[in-house]
Amino acid sequence: MLAGKVALVTGAGQGVGRGIARALARRGARIALVGRTPAKLEAVAAEIGSDAAAFATDVKDAESIRAVVDAVAQHFGAIDILVNNAQEVPLGPLLSVEDAAFEAGFTSGPLASFRLMKACHPHLLRRGGGTIINLASSAAVRWDMANYGAYAAVKQATRALTRAAAAEWGPDGIRVLTIAPHVNSPGLQGWIENNPNEAEAFFRTIPLRRVGDCEDDIGNAVAALCGPDLSYLTGATIPLDGGQANFG
């Protein structure tokens, strides 16, 4: 389904980034694994095999983003798919979130996605189009956003970028989508351990009563979104959350 395609996945050393990379690879894509920790990236590359390569970078640094996109294009000869997964998460009551954490959330999230989208655009254009997947969160549509305001603000900015890019780049054959997953990642596991009562209540609000598997649920969905069967879908936010969110 994705044979001959090249996918650049950020935050690919663990969790949902790893799951997405593995699912794309199983459908024939060659994978550029991008992240901060070389050892984790190399481990995922070894799992996937010769069609994957690791590229250590800091998505909060503009020059690093330009350099890694150039390196990926040179290594694989093309870029067809971009998955913006990397994100530092600012959590807590608004009065306790420091400016530095808020800024890091924006720099690692929507600003990094914005930079990567622009850097990858000419490569997608040369291929006659492609797919960009950005990650958001249903935290932005919770009725009670206490402790999630800064995080939701970051992720809503990402959704706005998706809509704009879908409109502007549709004539170029570039589709841009947002997914909002609940995923059984290391980050979620840490949150569950630190907030057991809140976690138990949270799971009761998910109709399917479980969080998604990084590869089987979230990765497979991303692979499908990048494939030809959904080629008329762009600009949308896809909740991959077991039916919990109502984006309206």
Side-chain angles (χ1 to χ4, degrees):
M1 183 176 75
L2 297 175
K5 303 296 185 183
V6 176
L8 189 164
V9 182
T10 70
Q14 65 181 9
V16 68
R18 171 180 173 269
I20 291 171
R22 286 170 55 94
L24 292 171
R26 282 195 290 106
R27 286 159 178 78
R30 295 178 290 163
I31 311 297
L33 303 159
V34 175
R36 291 183 296 185
T37 309
K40 291 182 178 181
L41 299 172
E42 294 290 353
V44 179
E47 294 171 2
I48 293 173
S50 60
D51 284 336
F55 299 84
T57 196
D58 179 2
V59 298
K60 292 193 293 183
D61 181 76
E63 183 53 41
S64 292
I65 285 176
R66 287 189 290 269
V68 78
V69 170
D70 289 345
V72 170
Q74 183 174 8
H75 181 87
F76 288 107
I79 299 174
D80 301 282
I81 297 166
L82 167 65
V83 179
N84 283 311
N85 165 62
Q87 172 75 69
E88 292 183 22
V89 178
L91 293 177
L94 294 177
L95 290 175
S96 71
V97 175
E98 300 290 340
D99 284 6
F102 195 57
E103 289 173 357
F106 267 97
T107 304
S108 64
L111 182 54
S113 296
F114 175 64
R115 289 166 169 166
L116 279 155
M117 288 162 65
K118 291 199 298 180
C120 287
H121 180 273
H123 300 286
L124 301 179
L125 190 61
R126 278 194 289 272
R127 298 283 275 184
T131 308
I132 297 172
I133 304 289
N134 295 324
L135 269 73
S137 171
S138 60
V141 295
R142 290 168 64 112
W143 71 269
D144 178 4
M145 291 173 62
N147 300 320
Y148 295 93
Y151 178 50
V154 165
K155 288 304 190 182
Q156 286 294 74
T158 297
R159 292 183 68 206
L161 287 173
T162 294
R163 290 290 300 171
E168 294 178 14
W169 298 350
D172 299 329
I174 298 171
R175 297 185 302 119
V176 192
L177 296 158
T178 302
I179 63 168
H182 288 334
V183 59
N184 195 18
S185 65
L188 180 68
Q189 288 299 318
W191 177 77
I192 292 171
E193 292 172 5
N194 292 324
N195 306 275
N197 293 332
E198 184 179 356
E200 183 180 358
F202 176 76
F203 294 142
R204 288 198 298 269
T205 68
I206 300 175
L208 292 183
R209 294 298 191 272
R210 66 180 182 88
V211 293
D213 180 79
C214 291
E215 182 175 351
D216 292 340
D217 293 313
I218 310 308
N220 285 344
V222 169
L225 290 169
C226 293
D229 290 343
L230 294 170
S231 62
Y232 197 52
L233 180 63
T234 193
T237 295
I238 314 297
L240 300 176
D241 62 357
Q244 184 198 51
N246 181 11
F247 279 88

